[in-house]
Amino acid sequence: DTGVSQDPRHKITKRGQNVTFRCDPISEHNRLYWYRQTLGQGPEFLTYFQNEAQLEKSRLLSDRFSAERPKGSFSTLEIQRTEQGDSAMYLCASSTLDRGDNEKLFFGSGTQLSVL
Amino acid sequence: KQEVTQIPAALSVPEGENLVLNCSFTDSAIYNLQWFRQDPGKGLTSLLLIQSSQREQTSGRLNASLDKSSGRSTLYIAASQPGDSATYLCAVRDDKIIFGKGTRLHILP
């Protein structure tokens, strides 16, 4: 299967610990997005990459969050010094632009983070 | 700043009924709009993508319309089934992709 893969599926950590999530996009997709979703809410934009360049980062993201996409392939999202408010589903999506400049997102299954 | 609103937040209808979910957005300068389905605890599955130049798209029992000038889209589900129960999300793309909060749909057997 060549869909979007996220690892791990679930992560339980203690407050103050650092966590890192990985996303492997669909291979031919040059855009990669990270979203955060809490119960009953829609996905909240965090950041996105075009190839290896991080084009935008949400102002909602504190300095404890960092994302990378070395070589424009997989991406990692790191949260330092986790807080209970970081508990959420972290979703990754990838896409590419077609000739009409349309962009269709394909999502992974997400990483559910629980901070105790 | 683009804002996406979905109404209603939740909806329960008997099996077999046709229904309409609504999505509105504040900035009409979008490239495209995409409807997704999300089952509890899962990722999002794409249902339909409407280009900015299109008025509607159809896939099986689903029909999505787009009125870009008024900032509105609807998702029409015909002959609803219990398996349609899920959260339905719309997302618009301008310089990035922004989501609404979704409509939680429950089809009563």
Side-chain angles (χ1 to χ4, degrees), chain B residues 2 5 24-25 28 43 61 67 70 87 96:
Chain B
Q2 180 75 267
T5 303
S24 61
F25 45 96
S28 61
R61 295 183 294 108
D67 184 344
S70 67
T87 296
K96 55 184 179 290

Side-chain angles (χ1 to χ4, degrees), chain A residues 4 6 23 25 29-36 44-50 55-56 67 69 75 77 90-97 103-108, chain B residues 32 92-99:
Chain A
V4 180
Q6 291 189 246
C23 173
H29 286 181
N30 59 359
R31 287 194 169 189
L32 186 148
Y33 290 78
W34 284 100
Y35 289 88
R36 177 173 62 190
E44 176 186 41
F45 171 81
L46 294 179
T47 188
Y48 85 102
F49 294 83
Q50 179 155 311
L55 296 188
E56 188 164 345
R69 194 183 181 197
S75 176
L77 177 68
Y90 289 83
L91 294 163
C92 175
S94 71
S95 68
T96 192
L97 298 181
E103 184 174 7
K104 185 175 182 180
L105 280 184
F106 294 83
F107 277 85
Chain B
N32 56 249
V92 300
R93 176 179 169 249
D94 41 37
D95 60 339
K96 55 184 179 290
I97 298 176
I98 301 297
F99 282 81

Side-chain angles (χ1 to χ4, degrees), chain B:
Chain B
K1 177 189 172 188
Q2 180 75 267
E3 293 183 4
V4 181
T5 303
Q6 291 189 246
I7 295 173
L11 181 64
S12 293
V13 299
E15 180 179 2
E17 284 198 4
N18 303 327
L19 59 99
V20 175
L21 307 180
N22 297 292
C23 172
S24 61
F25 45 96
T26 54
D27 187 344
S28 61
I30 64 169
Y31 290 99
N32 56 249
L33 182 146
Q34 198 170 354
W35 281 94
F36 293 87
R37 168 188 173 133
Q38 187 176 31
D39 293 292
K42 301 293 179 65
L44 281 69
T45 301
S46 178
L47 298 174
L48 291 163
L49 181 143
I50 308 179
Q51 301 174 23
S52 61
S53 59
Q54 295 177 324
R55 299 283 294 184
E56 64 180 277
Q57 278 285 329
T58 298
S59 176
R61 295 183 294 108
L62 305 179
N63 177 277
S65 69
L66 174 63
D67 184 344
K68 205 173 80 160
S69 61
S70 67
R72 295 178 187 275
S73 176
T74 62
L75 180 67
Y76 175 84
I77 303 177
S80 58
Q81 303 171 359
D84 295 331
S85 297
T87 296
Y88 290 81
L89 296 142
C90 72
V92 300
R93 176 179 169 249
D94 41 37
D95 60 339
K96 55 184 179 290
I97 298 176
I98 301 297
F99 282 81
K101 293 185 177 181
T103 295
R104 295 186 307 281
L105 177 63
H106 182 49
I107 305 300
L108 305 168

